Amino acid sequence: MSVRRIASVIGLPPENVEVYDRYHADVWPGVLDALRRHHVSNYSIYRHGDLLFSYMEYTGDDYDADMAGIAADPITQEWWSVMEPLQRPLDDRAEGEWWKALPEVFHTD
């Protein structure tokens, strides 16, 4: 099985930390189900100061189609509508990105 590792970063203003943490302590089951259905696993989010760092692994065969499937999921769309106002995208992200994609510099098995 091929694993694609994806890391990204986004801002989180200090005034939103408590709410963001509260939601992520009990992520909606439908959101988790959409991730699993679309071959996303080992998804983690870490916080450092006013930055969130995410890491996930993708094991499917069509990343773009699976990401579109997640984006089309109504429960995920509702989750994003709650999360997006809490986040602050970075100015240097690529066009079309919400979370800024990070290049992998090192990995070992």
Side-chain angles (χ1 to χ4, degrees), residues 74-108:
I75 295 171
T76 300
Q77 289 176 2
E78 185 179 351
W79 174 263
W80 288 350
S81 75
V82 174
M83 293 302 110
E84 286 179 2
L86 302 175
Q87 301 166 344
R88 185 182 61 237
L90 302 184
D91 292 337
D92 64 342
R93 70 192 187 277
E95 187 167 334
E97 284 185 333
W98 184 254
W99 284 68
K100 176 184 173 61
L102 299 175
E104 183 174 283
V105 176
F106 176 77
H107 173 78
T108 185

Side-chain angles (χ1 to χ4, degrees), residues 12 16-26 47 52 86:
L12 181 69
N16 296 340
V17 168
E18 185 179 326
V19 173
Y20 194 86
D21 284 358
R22 189 169 56 243
Y23 273 104
H24 283 83
D26 190 23
R47 184 178 56 254
L52 295 172
L86 302 175

Side-chain angles (χ1 to χ4, degrees), residues 5-94:
R5 294 175 304 278
I6 297 109
S8 56
V9 66
I10 197 166
L12 181 69
E15 63 271 18
N16 296 340
V17 168
E18 185 179 326
V19 173
Y20 194 86
D21 284 358
R22 189 169 56 243
Y23 273 104
H24 283 83
D26 190 23
V27 176
W28 301 347
V31 171
L32 299 175
D33 183 54
L35 292 169
R36 281 188 287 272
R37 280 193 331 267
H38 295 283
H39 312 286
V40 172
S41 63
N42 202 18
Y43 194 163
S44 304
I45 299 174
Y46 300 87
R47 184 178 56 254
H48 177 72
D50 64 351
L51 292 176
L52 295 172
F53 168 80
S54 75
Y55 171 84
M56 68 180 193
E57 295 176 353
Y58 174 75
T59 57
D61 296 324
D62 189 340
Y63 180 79
D64 291 335
D66 280 319
M67 294 305 105
I70 291 170
D73 177 73
I75 295 171
T76 300
Q77 289 176 2
E78 185 179 351
W79 174 263
W80 288 350
S81 75
V82 174
M83 293 302 110
E84 286 179 2
L86 302 175
Q87 301 166 344
R88 185 182 61 237
L90 302 184
D91 292 337
D92 64 342
R93 70 192 187 277

